[in-house]
Amino acid sequence: MSSLPSLETLDLSNNLLSDTGFWWPGCSYTSVFPKLRHLSLSKNHFADLSFIAQHTHQMKYLESLDLSFNSIFLDKPCFWPIHITSLSLSNNNLGNKVFSFLSQYLQRIDLSKTGITALTQEDLYQFPMLTHLFLSSNSIKVIPTDLSPTLVSLYIDQNYITSVSRESLAGLPSLRTLKAGDNPFVCSCDSYWFMTTLNKSLLPDWPLDYTCSTPPSVADLPMSEYRTSRMSCEAWLQAAVALPVTMLIVLALCSAFYACDGVWYTKMLWVWIRVKRRGQKQANLLNNTTFRYHSFISYSHQDSAWVESRLVPSLEGAGLSLCIHERDFVPGQWILDNIINCVEASYKTLFVLSNHFVQSEWCNYELFFAQHRALDAQQDSLVFILLEPIPTNSLPKKFLKLRRLLMQQTYLEWPMEERKQQVFWVNLRSMLQVADHRILKDMALELAQSASMIPDDLVPLLK
């Protein structure tokens, strides 16, 4: 072959050349092509990439080499000259390993339709000067993050990519051209950013080559016509809207709950549940014990009008047997004896608490005896009705025990509203009817022998 000293571009595509058919043994291509810069050997029969890489060293100024549409195979390491900066191997069946056979000095690589199925960061890290990469018509599914800081142009159309994420493009800070059309894009929130925020000047094939593949309801719809709301795709925005809405709903429900006296009804429900549970627990303790009355009523005489007009009719009308000192104390007995006998003969002791109650000396005695009886019998026999609010600072010292009892015991508050009073009576009757089948109206059997309930300082009163 004669010397071509001025030739810079040589196109030998669409021939039948092979490796040794172009590079003849013994021929110096340095002298034949002393200034050759661009060589196209496309659509020939070249095969051995290692052989070709070795012989390009003779072409001292060669910058670009086109080996597309050949039968290139990879079997031996390739040692490329540093002056080749552009290489096309498109339309050769090379696979994912092709990157390890290329020169690290390449700035432009065309690997379109070469059977690549995956692209990784490690593949491109070995090309620190790469600016243009063509990967069209492969089987790549994902653009990895932090791909290449130097890449200016990326062609990745006609692959299997379903979405282009914000993170992927953030790893391409120098990118000016992205061709990603003819991919099976999923039109969902995964593509929301790509469709609404991405600068479309980066996409030379937008919008013609971008269509929705799935879901079926929008298949073949141009992505430029797909509409979705930011609210449905931005989780933080959903949270920002849902939180105040939820707070408003909760606030409205709480307000309605408070306005409808939900707190009071909840407390009454809790009282009813506790009564039922205690009744079950006490069943074994009281199997062998019988009583004359359902309850002994302890109250101040100044509250007798409420007791006689409201409490007694409501409970006795429901079939309960009550012990009231004005009616049931035995004439001629000491008052303290009557109190003790009535407390012991009653299944429960019901205290009607009011400001008058805490000022009564006899009410204090009744509370004392009933409490000791409950301790001795290991039975929860005290029931409290709070007829009116009692300020803590108004309790005499002798009633400090009452304060502790109210903190430990379940008690009922007398409501002023008529509709609440119905719930009040239901709860009160249920507390007294737990052991209804054990009430004997004829007589009361004595409890098991217990320690004397009368303190020393009360003995003089019995004399």
Side-chain angles (χ1 to χ4, degrees):
M1 183 180 290
S2 301
S3 174
L4 300 171
S6 301
L7 184 66
E8 295 187 2
T9 301
L10 176 60
D11 187 351
L12 295 175
S13 59
N14 291 287
N15 284 289
L16 301 175
L17 294 172
S18 62
D19 298 339
T20 56
F22 179 73
W23 279 282
W24 296 347
C27 181
S28 173
Y29 287 84
T30 302
S31 58
V32 174
F33 303 118
K35 293 187 178 180
L36 186 65
R37 294 180 180 275
H38 307 287
L39 174 61
S40 176
L41 302 176
S42 175
K43 297 181 180 178
N44 281 278
H45 293 160
F46 291 96
D48 192 344
L49 189 62
S50 178
F51 176 87
I52 297 171
Q54 180 181 354
H55 284 78
T56 54
H57 282 270
Q58 299 178 19
M59 302 174 180
K60 301 298 182 180
Y61 293 96
L62 185 64
E63 297 176 0
S64 67
L65 175 62
D66 186 355
L67 293 172
S68 61
F69 293 95
N70 279 281
S71 302
I72 301 295
F73 63 83
L74 308 170
D75 62 345
K76 293 178 290 184
C78 299
F79 300 96
W80 296 91
I82 63 174
H83 49 75
I84 293 183
T85 58
S86 177
L87 176 64
S88 175
L89 292 172
S90 65
N91 291 275
N92 287 281
N93 189 20
L94 303 175
N96 296 337
K97 63 181 180 179
V98 62
F99 293 100
S100 61
F101 292 86
L102 305 181
S103 169
Q104 63 177 326
Y105 301 103
L106 289 173
Q107 299 176 15
R108 186 185 186 95
I109 302 175
D110 188 350
L111 294 174
S112 300
K113 205 171 184 179
T114 53
I116 298 175
T117 59
L119 182 64
T120 66
Q121 300 171 358
E122 290 74 16
D123 292 334
L124 299 190
Y125 276 173
Q126 57 186 309
F127 306 109
M129 294 181 288
L130 182 64
T131 57
H132 296 75
L133 179 61
F134 301 87
L135 296 171
S136 304
S137 302
N138 282 290
S139 300
I140 299 171
K141 297 180 180 180
V142 177
I143 303 177
T145 57
D146 300 324
L147 190 58
S148 173
T150 60
L151 204 60
V152 174
S153 178
L154 174 62
Y155 280 49
I156 200 164
D157 52 306
Q158 299 183 51
N159 278 269
Y160 293 143
I161 295 172
T162 57
S163 64
V164 179
S165 68
R166 187 194 303 262
E167 292 75 15
S168 297
L169 292 192
L172 299 167
S174 303
L175 192 67
R176 296 294 177 269
T177 301
L178 173 65
K179 189 175 181 181
D182 295 314
N183 276 292
F185 286 105
V186 176
C187 288
S188 64
C189 289
D190 291 337
S191 301
Y192 176 77
W193 171 84
F194 180 81
M195 292 182 289
T196 59
T197 308
L198 178 66
N199 182 5
K200 300 304 185 295
S201 63
L202 294 177
L203 309 176
D205 50 349
W206 177 270
L208 296 179
D209 295 337
Y210 294 83
T211 58
C212 299
S213 178
T214 56
S217 59
V218 294
D220 299 324
L221 178 71
M223 293 183 70
S224 58
E225 298 179 11
Y226 177 75
R227 296 292 181 269
T228 186
S229 64
R230 183 182 181 187
M231 177 74 69
S232 62
C233 294
E234 298 284 357
W236 69 268
L237 188 59
Q238 294 174 12
V241 173
L243 184 60
V245 170
T246 302
M247 292 179 64
L248 286 175
I249 293 175
V250 171
L251 182 61
L253 291 175
C254 291
S255 300
F257 186 76
Y258 181 80
C260 297
D261 295 312
V263 175
W264 190 88
Y265 284 107
T266 302
K267 183 176 180 180
M268 291 297 100
L269 177 61
W270 175 240
V271 168
W272 182 84
I273 293 173
R274 290 186 63 183
V275 167
K276 293 299 182 183
R277 293 184 62 185
R278 287 183 179 182
Q280 295 173 359
K281 291 180 181 180
Q282 294 168 7
N284 294 332
L285 294 175
L286 300 178
N287 278 339
N288 299 321
T289 305
T290 55
F291 303 95
R292 181 180 300 167
Y293 305 106
H294 286 90
S295 179
F296 169 65
I297 311 298
S298 175
Y299 61 95
S300 169
H301 72 279
Q302 292 178 287
D303 298 320
S304 59
W306 182 84
V307 172
E308 294 171 0
S309 63
R310 306 298 297 271
L311 181 64
V312 173
S314 178
L315 297 182
E316 291 189 337
L320 298 179
S321 178
L322 303 180
C323 179
I324 305 172
H325 67 267
E326 295 178 350
R327 182 185 66 189
D328 298 306
F329 275 11
V330 178
Q333 283 191 356
W334 291 100
I335 295 179
L336 288 180
D337 287 338
N338 271 308
I339 292 175
I340 295 172
N341 292 334
C342 288
V343 168
E344 291 183 346
S346 301
Y347 173 61
K348 298 281 188 179
T349 302
L350 177 61
F351 296 92
V352 180
L353 302 181
S354 66
N355 288 303
H356 302 305
F357 182 95
V358 298
Q359 303 298 328
S360 172
E361 188 75 20
W362 292 111
C363 290
N364 185 26
Y365 295 151
E366 292 169 354
L367 176 63
F368 174 83
F369 294 135
Q371 183 188 14
H372 276 267
R373 180 257 186 164
L375 292 174
D376 291 336
Q378 296 184 346
Q379 172 193 356
D380 184 14
S381 59
L382 307 183
V383 179
F384 297 96
I385 295 177
L386 194 59
L387 194 58
E388 60 184 358
I390 304 176
T392 304
N393 55 11
S394 69
L395 289 176
K397 291 183 179 181
K398 60 185 177 182
F399 273 99
L400 293 180
K401 191 180 300 181
L402 176 61
R403 185 189 309 171
R404 291 195 300 271
L405 285 173
L406 291 178
M407 295 176 60
Q408 299 170 359
Q409 298 282 127
T410 300
Y411 64 90
L412 301 175
E413 296 183 45
W414 171 248
M416 301 306 296
E417 295 87 344
E418 185 69 25
R419 56 189 177 88
K420 292 183 179 181
Q421 291 174 7
Q422 298 177 6
V423 179
F424 171 86
W425 293 122
V426 170
N427 275 314
L428 181 57
R429 285 193 290 267
S430 67
M431 297 176 77
L432 301 179
Q433 287 176 337
V434 170
D436 183 68
H437 64 282
R438 287 187 294 275
I439 303 297
L440 299 180
K441 295 186 178 181
D442 296 328
M443 60 178 301
L445 298 177
E446 294 293 328
L447 292 173
Q449 293 296 325
S450 60
S452 175
M453 295 189 297
I454 306 177
D456 295 337
D457 58 342
L458 295 181
V459 172
L461 295 175
L462 299 177
K463 296 180 180 181

